[in-house]
Amino acid sequence: MLKIGEFSKLSRISIRMLRHYDEIGLLRPVRIDAFTGYRYYGEDQLPLAGRIAALRDMGFGLSAISEVLACGGDAPSLERLLACREGELRDHLQEVERQLRLLESLRRNLREERQAMQYNVNLKTIPERNAACVRQILPRYDCEGTLWETLMRETAPLHIVDGDPCICCAVFHDGEYKEADVDVEVQKSVKGSYPDTEHVHFRTLPAVTVASATYQGGYHLIGEVSAAVAAWVRDNGYSFCGPAFYIYHVSPHETQNPDEFVTEICLPVEKA
């Protein structure tokens, strides 16, 4: 029999946590002295303590650890829980990698002592065009790629001919920035007429006058460029009259290097 301090040293779990595990029924002592209140553990409980510590190192919460331990010899249930945690970790890894790329880009800009860029804002009219369009409610803005995948997959059998010029853009229909459930439409200009597919609709898009600025670099600069376009709209007596959209001149479809992306920020406007 081991006193709680001895068990703590051998299991490498603090006394505070052992008491908490006792309170929630995760790891109860073998005996509690009725007079002193001292907790005693058995040597055969050390493997269980090791399993709990290992699961915590994997990021399992206490309720999830209880669920894993309750599986016992039920291998399918245990595999399901472990696979679920693996999926969560992989999603987290992708987010961390994205943040690291943004961090490295910012550090590179600081090392180069990059001055605030002056963006050239133009007023222009994008002519009427036929386009293949996919519009859906997405969980987040960074899920936009799924719309392009759908468009390419469903139009592949149609052998569509690209428009001249071929304008690939994303339209953001919400009137505000949203954290979730965002209304996004992707459009690709085409020549000719084609039947609609399950998710792709072919439409004639009207001509639109926009204030726009084109820049090269990662998508983290979109806010900065949009601010420059919005300031131009304000200073030149125009007002917004439609959802913003981005034209992708060079996108992840052509290169995986964000520094090589070329994006045009377009804000539909009219004279105030």
Side-chain angles (χ1 to χ4, degrees), residues 75-107:
S77 296
L78 180 59
E79 175 60 26
R80 176 181 56 81
L81 292 171
L82 295 178
C84 181
R85 180 57 186 161
E86 180 183 7
E88 293 172 350
L89 289 173
R90 291 190 182 279
D91 288 344
H92 179 65
L93 177 60
Q94 290 180 355
E95 176 61 16
V96 170
E97 289 176 340
R98 185 187 71 84
Q99 293 175 353
L100 285 173
R101 288 194 296 270
L102 294 176
L103 177 61
E104 177 55 30
S105 178
L106 176 59
R107 292 181 63 186

Side-chain angles (χ1 to χ4, degrees), residues 9 40 43 71 117 163 165 167 169 179 208 226 240 269 271:
K9 289 180 181 179
Y40 292 90
E43 291 82 351
C71 288
M117 293 183 63
I167 299 176
C169 65
E179 297 289 343
V208 58
S226 297
F240 304 116
V269 294
K271 199 64 177 177

Side-chain angles (χ1 to χ4, degrees), residues 6-229:
E6 297 169 332
F7 191 80
S8 172
K9 289 180 181 179
L10 293 173
S11 65
R12 302 181 67 180
I13 299 174
S14 69
I15 291 176
R16 180 184 66 83
M17 288 307 299
L18 286 173
R19 287 173 176 160
H20 183 55
Y21 292 169
D22 180 17
E23 291 171 359
I24 64 176
L26 186 62
L27 178 58
R28 295 192 182 280
V30 172
R31 182 172 68 87
I32 299 178
D33 188 284
F35 181 71
T36 64
Y38 288 164
R39 292 172 169 85
Y40 292 90
Y41 293 81
E43 291 82 351
D44 58 354
Q45 290 181 289
L46 287 171
L48 175 58
R51 174 68 65 84
I52 293 172
L55 291 169
R56 290 212 59 183
D57 287 343
M58 297 176 199
F60 282 93
L62 295 181
S63 61
I65 290 175
S66 296
E67 191 175 356
V68 170
L69 296 179
C71 288
D74 185 355
S77 296
L78 180 59
E79 175 60 26
R80 176 181 56 81
L81 292 171
L82 295 178
C84 181
R85 180 57 186 161
E86 180 183 7
E88 293 172 350
L89 289 173
R90 291 190 182 279
D91 288 344
H92 179 65
L93 177 60
Q94 290 180 355
E95 176 61 16
V96 170
E97 289 176 340
R98 185 187 71 84
Q99 293 175 353
L100 285 173
R101 288 194 296 270
L102 294 176
L103 177 61
E104 177 55 30
S105 178
L106 176 59
R107 292 181 63 186
R108 184 168 59 251
N109 290 340
L110 292 175
R111 286 196 300 266
E112 295 171 355
E113 298 182 346
R114 173 180 170 179
Q115 300 300 315
M117 293 183 63
Q118 299 297 316
Y119 299 105
N120 184 26
V121 180
N122 297 299
L123 182 68
K124 70 177 189 179
T125 297
I126 299 175
E128 179 183 278
R129 62 201 186 278
N130 294 328
C133 309
V134 180
R135 180 175 177 177
Q136 289 183 4
I137 302 299
L138 301 177
R140 303 177 308 278
Y141 291 105
D142 59 9
C143 296
E144 179 190 321
T146 61
L147 300 184
W148 290 108
E149 292 170 3
T150 298
L151 188 151
M152 300 306 293
R153 182 179 65 255
E154 294 190 10
T155 59
L158 302 179
H159 304 291
I160 62 175
V161 178
D162 292 347
D164 184 17
C166 182
I167 299 176
C168 294
C169 65
V171 184
F172 304 94
H173 289 282
D174 293 308
E176 61 181 314
Y177 178 86
K178 297 177 64 177
E179 297 289 343
D181 299 327
V182 296
D183 187 354
V184 181
E185 179 179 15
V186 298
Q187 303 170 345
K188 179 181 180 181
S189 60
V190 300
K191 285 184 178 179
S193 299
Y194 306 90
D196 291 346
T197 66
E198 181 180 0
H199 300 98
V200 181
H201 299 278
F202 292 88
R203 297 191 288 122
T204 299
L205 304 177
V208 58
T209 299
V210 300
S212 75
T214 301
Y215 78 95
Q216 180 172 334
Y219 294 138
H220 64 285
L221 293 172
I222 283 178
E224 179 181 326
V225 183
S226 297
V229 179

Side-chain angles (χ1 to χ4, degrees), residues 169 241 259:
C169 65
C241 64
D259 293 336

